[in-house]
Amino acid sequence: MNFRQLKIWRDQHAPLLEQAVAAITARLPFAPFSDELTSYDKTLIEQGEQQFMNILGSRFQVGEHKRADQTRKWVGGEISPYGFPLGITYRAEDFKELAKRANHAMKEWERLSVSFRAAVLCEAISKIHDKTFLFSHIGMHTSGHGFFMGFHANAIHAQARALESVANVYQIEKGLDKELHSEFVIGDGPPQRIQSSFRSKPLGLSLVYSGQVVPTWGAYPAIFASLAAGCPVITIPHSNAVLPIALTVRIIKSVCTEAGISQDIVNIFCSDDEKDYRAAALHPSVKIIDYMGKSEFGDWLRQHAWHARVLTQQSSYTPIFVHSTVDYDGMIENLAFGLCSYSAQLCTSPQNIYVLREGIRIPGGNITVEKFQSDLVAEIDMLIQKIKPSRELLGAIADVASVQNIHRFTEGKFGRVLRSSKTIIDPDFEAARIMTPLVLTVRSPPDACFDTYAREITGPVSFVIDKDDFKNVVKELRNLSHKFGLLGVGLYTTDAKIENAMKHIAADIGALLSINFCQNYYISQCAVFTDIHGGSINPSSNVTYGAPLFYHSRLRLTESRKIF
């Protein structure tokens, strides 16, 4: 082990780590890296694109392998939502062998102090940051991001999430490790001295399943929290978003090699048989599982992987209740952007917009439901015309099933169509799946219709739902949260009673409440180091990013006592 290099990294990254710890302590926004494109040299963007092009059609080597292993199977079938196959293949490793190597590597990794582990991980984050524009282009062609979103969600903000996890575990472990001396007397006996030593230990092998929509942003919190805690990690990426995780693992491995640490503290498991991904979760060495993705597999993990701690972030969206506003135009702009941005494919995106049949109160008047609907559609049309190329606003549809959703709802069986969805031909990617938002209206829906729109609908499909009164809105929010789960709730109101009532409701159902977001700060946005993600108590998640349990779950506390 290269302790000289470890000490250099510890000293080099200490200021950044201290800033991150200060930010999580104060719960203040902190940006370790600029998320403004103008802060970066334009040649770096071009280099990132060229680096991505150079990877296409290759065998992607994640780490070092012995010559005897070269005959192992290679798998891969990623297809860009912009219309072409990536042609990249990855080694199909044996999971049992990966688990064996991971547990062996943990013996060395956990013996390092948390300061040294944090130093290694901060160096890895720094090297990931150096590849920011490669990750940006990868985000486009594995997840359908527009370039700017790829720069944010697949690169800069994901890197901040990684540092957030390292800083949290660093702070927690520093607080747990203690050595105490005390004196006590039992009965009439003489005074006795006792030494108590408390040490944190890693829980064990960490399995991280990453999704397609935001593969790095969703997986980095778990990957870096587990590694910081001393747990080895095996990642299982989405079959169409392997590359961002594979590149991440390769970078972490390269840093380990520099430090003289076993590369097997982190690995990637790829297979062309989905049964292998279920079998991996049931391996007895797996002690903690993190999953972000659709509810079907998340529910399966919760039901079957009883030997491990299972932390899931599942299918969800953010319903909006529009009651009243002092900035009607700003509200319309914000809502329209939310329905367009990345084709509303984020789990934080708005989907269902509730209004009261009496309309929306504004200073000096009232906006009818019909006018609100037409204004929302007009703003969507204006945004699509204004932002060119459209992929920078809409991105590309990540999943073919989302296109099928659009066609299914266009038939009008679940509501009257306010705005039809149309396919947009991109000037650079003619085969891209780019479609404009579909907006429907629903009035007093029967139960069968509720079961349809109350669950997450992937893709740009949204509903304007009018209700008789506030009580019916509350009843429906509680119902859909209990049945399907909610990540957040949006609210527009000038009424203090409505606001207070919604604060209690959102807290009860475990949803982040966003109040009066107008103009260009969007409900779907999340401030790293400040905002939480997931409410822990409804079907959409059983854990909260940014909350202590997420980090504590990777550690266990040990104690030894000695009488003198």
Side-chain angles (χ1 to χ4, degrees):
M1 191 173 297
N2 189 343
F3 281 101
R4 181 176 178 276
Q5 184 62 71
L6 290 174
K7 290 175 182 177
I8 290 172
W9 286 342
R10 184 185 60 188
D11 296 341
Q12 178 184 340
H13 298 298
L16 178 64
L17 187 60
E18 289 170 6
Q19 286 179 289
V21 169
I24 61 173
T25 302
R27 204 168 269 288
L28 290 172
F30 174 55
F33 310 109
S34 173
D35 62 2
E36 296 292 335
L37 277 173
T38 53
S39 302
Y40 299 87
D41 191 325
K42 289 182 179 180
T43 59
L44 294 176
I45 300 175
E46 297 169 1
Q47 290 170 7
E49 183 175 18
Q50 188 57 55
Q51 289 166 357
F52 171 72
M53 298 300 292
N54 292 341
I55 295 172
L56 296 180
S58 68
R59 281 188 169 186
F60 192 92
Q61 290 279 5
V62 174
E64 297 174 355
H65 296 281
K66 296 178 182 178
R67 187 173 300 176
D69 291 338
Q70 294 303 313
T71 58
R72 195 176 291 281
K73 183 179 178 182
W74 292 74
V75 299
E78 293 158 292
I79 298 175
S80 170
Y82 288 95
F84 60 91
L86 303 192
I88 304 169
T89 55
Y90 310 87
R91 288 170 53 85
E93 303 270 18
D94 178 71
F95 187 83
K96 293 178 181 178
E97 178 62 23
L98 288 180
K100 180 180 177 181
R101 283 157 41 191
N103 285 328
H104 181 74
M106 182 173 68
K107 295 174 183 178
E108 175 188 56
W109 181 239
E110 71 169 304
R111 283 199 296 267
L112 283 177
S113 69
V114 68
S115 298
F116 279 146
R117 291 199 300 269
V120 170
L121 296 175
C122 283
E123 177 65 15
I125 293 167
S126 176
K127 282 184 163 53
I128 288 170
H129 178 65
D130 291 341
K131 298 288 186 183
T132 283
F133 294 107
L134 173 55
F135 277 100
S136 303
H137 287 283
I138 289 172
M140 288 182 64
H141 296 293
T142 57
S143 307
H145 299 165
F147 175 75
F148 192 65
M149 181 178 175
F151 167 65
H152 275 173
N154 207 47
I156 297 299
H157 295 166
Q159 295 157 19
R161 273 290 189 219
L163 181 62
E164 178 187 43
S165 279
V166 173
N168 268 285
V169 174
Y170 174 83
Q171 184 186 42
I172 288 167
E173 228 180 297
K174 284 287 189 182
L176 290 176
D177 291 353
K178 295 179 184 297
E179 190 164 293
L180 306 174
H181 293 81
S182 58
E183 189 173 275
F184 65 94
V185 176
I186 296 178
D188 296 329
Q192 299 183 71
R193 289 184 297 122
I194 186 168
Q195 175 188 353
S196 299
S197 297
F198 297 91
R199 295 290 181 266
S200 57
K201 295 272 288 182
L203 185 65
L205 179 57
S206 173
L207 190 60
V208 180
Y209 292 86
S210 59
Q212 181 182 8
V213 173
V214 282
T216 55
W217 192 98
Y220 278 13
I223 292 171
F224 282 87
S226 287
L227 289 172
C231 302
V233 173
I234 298 176
T235 60
I236 298 183
H238 187 280
S239 59
N240 205 71
V242 181
L243 184 55
I245 303 302
L247 178 59
T248 299
V249 171
R250 182 160 79 178
I251 292 171
I252 298 173
K253 282 177 174 288
S254 71
V255 173
C256 289
T257 299
E258 273 191 81
I261 297 167
S262 171
Q263 288 194 4
D264 287 320
I265 65 163
V266 62
N267 259 308
I268 185 169
F269 177 60
C270 298
S271 174
D272 54 6
D273 187 346
E274 290 195 2
K275 291 180 182 177
D276 292 339
Y277 296 152
R278 296 187 179 227
L282 301 180
H283 192 284
S285 288
V286 174
K287 301 303 180 186
I288 184 165
I289 298 172
D290 288 273
Y291 170 78
M292 177 177 275
K294 293 182 179 178
S295 292
E296 291 78 7
F297 188 63
D299 290 342
W300 183 90
L301 287 170
R302 290 185 186 185
Q303 292 167 12
H304 293 88
W306 284 99
H307 62 292
R309 293 178 184 171
V310 179
L311 311 179
T312 66
Q313 296 267 356
Q314 301 180 184
S315 303
S316 192
Y317 64 93
T318 297
I320 312 291
F321 173 42
V322 179
H323 173 264
S324 51
T325 182
V326 295
D327 185 4
Y328 179 76
D329 290 342
M331 179 189 74
I332 291 290
E333 178 185 336
N334 196 282
L335 289 174
F337 189 90
L339 299 181
C340 291
S341 178
Y342 188 41
S343 294
Q345 293 175 101
L346 295 172
C347 57
T348 53
S349 296
Q351 177 180 296
N352 299 343
I353 302 173
Y354 291 91
V355 293
L356 299 183
R357 202 155 293 163
E358 65 190 38
I360 300 164
R361 299 178 196 170
I362 61 170
N366 200 63
I367 300 292
T368 65
V369 173
E370 292 73 20
K371 178 167 173 53
F372 169 73
Q373 292 170 349
S374 64
D375 288 345
L376 182 62
V377 168
E379 185 68 21
I380 291 172
D381 292 339
M382 188 277 294
L383 277 172
I384 292 169
Q385 290 300 316
K386 178 181 176 182
I387 300 177
K388 300 293 182 181
S390 296
R391 67 172 182 265
E392 287 305 320
L393 171 65
L394 302 173
I397 306 294
D399 189 350
V400 175
S402 298
V403 177
Q404 296 168 351
N405 278 337
I406 295 170
H407 295 321
R408 181 164 62 98
F409 284 99
T410 297
E411 296 172 0
K413 294 180 182 178
F414 304 102
R416 181 169 58 87
V417 175
L418 295 174
R419 187 189 188 284
S420 298
S421 175
K422 291 185 172 58
T423 299
I424 290 180
I425 304 300
D426 190 273
D428 300 312
F429 304 99
E430 292 185 1
R433 291 192 297 267
I434 301 176
M435 302 183 73
T436 63
L438 172 67
V439 184
L440 303 98
T441 181
V442 180
R443 169 175 278 195
S444 299
D447 290 341
C449 190
F450 168 81
D451 284 344
T452 300
Y453 72 72
R455 68 179 73 237
E456 181 194 38
I457 300 167
T458 58
V461 179
S462 59
F463 300 86
V464 178
I465 305 161
D466 63 82
K467 292 288 185 181
D468 290 327
D469 54 38
F470 178 55
K471 289 182 179 179
N472 282 333
V473 174
V474 169
K475 180 180 178 182
E476 185 147 303
L477 290 175
R478 288 190 182 278
N479 191 11
L480 66 87
S481 175
H482 174 74
K483 196 166 187 178
F484 302 110
L486 289 178
L487 191 66
V489 173
L491 171 65
Y492 291 92
T493 188
T494 58
D495 187 320
K497 291 182 179 179
I498 296 289
E499 180 178 329
N500 288 333
M502 288 294 287
K503 283 181 178 178
H504 288 294
I505 294 159
D508 286 347
I509 64 178
L512 170 66
L513 180 62
S514 302
I515 305 169
N516 296 335
F517 277 43
C518 291
Q519 297 179 25
N520 65 346
Y521 193 88
Y522 305 105
I523 287 173
S524 61
Q525 289 180 281
C526 188
V528 185
F529 288 90
T530 297
D531 293 330
I532 62 172
H533 189 273
S536 298
I537 62 169
N538 68 57
S540 69
S541 67
N542 68 354
V543 70
T544 303
Y545 286 6
L549 180 62
F550 182 78
Y551 310 103
H552 278 283
S553 293
R554 293 151 218 286
L555 293 163
R556 57 189 180 87
L557 188 62
T558 67
E559 179 186 2
S560 63
R561 301 179 298 175
K562 183 177 180 180
I563 296 287
F564 288 92

